[in-house]
Amino acid sequence: MEKLFSYGTLQFKKVQQDTFGRILNGKKDILRAYKLKDLIIRDENVINSSGINTHPIIYYTGEKKDFVNGILFNVTELEIIKADSYEVSEYKRVKVKFESGDSGWVYIEK
């Protein structure tokens, strides 16, 4: 089992159903040393799934005072690949450690 942190549209039940074919289970967690900003999405499939064309994206600051709240979902390796296909090219997936002590994947700005 893998862990995938969502701070945005992967929390939407419709996006989860469209992307994974199921509703995900997870718990609240925090990622330190990152900040949120907005990204304009142009991919029609992603817009149709999320219902919005502005998605959050996070970037590394290195400052412990900066943080992002989100949900740490339990997913399979195959579901990680499905999540990769949902995310647009401005995102990259990296493995990080969360405030809970758990390690997992998160999509950050390229």
Side-chain angles (χ1 to χ4, degrees):
M1 197 52 88
E2 298 280 337
K3 303 271 189 199
L4 178 62
F5 186 73
S6 172
Y7 52 86
T9 61
L10 282 175
Q11 293 181 30
F12 297 0
K13 288 186 182 354
K14 182 178 184 325
V15 171
Q16 291 178 16
Q17 198 66 49
D18 290 350
T19 306
F20 309 110
R22 70 180 183 100
I23 303 303
L24 302 179
N25 294 313
K27 63 178 183 173
K28 291 181 180 180
D29 214 330
I30 294 171
L31 179 58
R32 294 248 171 225
Y34 285 82
K35 271 189 159 179
L36 279 169
K37 66 181 183 179
D38 287 336
L39 175 69
I40 302 299
I41 303 295
R42 291 177 175 74
D43 184 307
E44 288 299 323
N45 292 327
V46 173
I47 294 168
N48 289 336
S49 185
S50 69
I52 54 177
N53 73 341
T54 302
H55 290 199
I57 191 167
I58 62 172
Y59 60 97
Y60 183 73
T61 65
E63 297 289 330
K64 291 293 181 198
K65 67 177 174 48
D66 296 332
F67 66 94
V68 176
N69 290 307
I71 306 288
L72 194 56
F73 289 114
N74 296 308
V75 295
T76 66
E77 286 181 37
L78 179 59
E79 287 172 330
I80 292 286
I81 293 165
K82 289 179 178 180
D84 286 347
S85 67
Y86 170 76
E87 298 297 353
V88 296
S89 62
E90 288 86 353
Y91 293 89
K92 69 177 179 179
R93 179 168 47 93
V94 297
K95 197 148 210 180
V96 295
K97 193 167 207 168
F98 301 96
E99 193 161 272
S100 65
D102 287 332
S103 292
W105 298 103
V106 65
Y107 292 95
I108 67 171
E109 182 178 49
K110 264 191 185 164

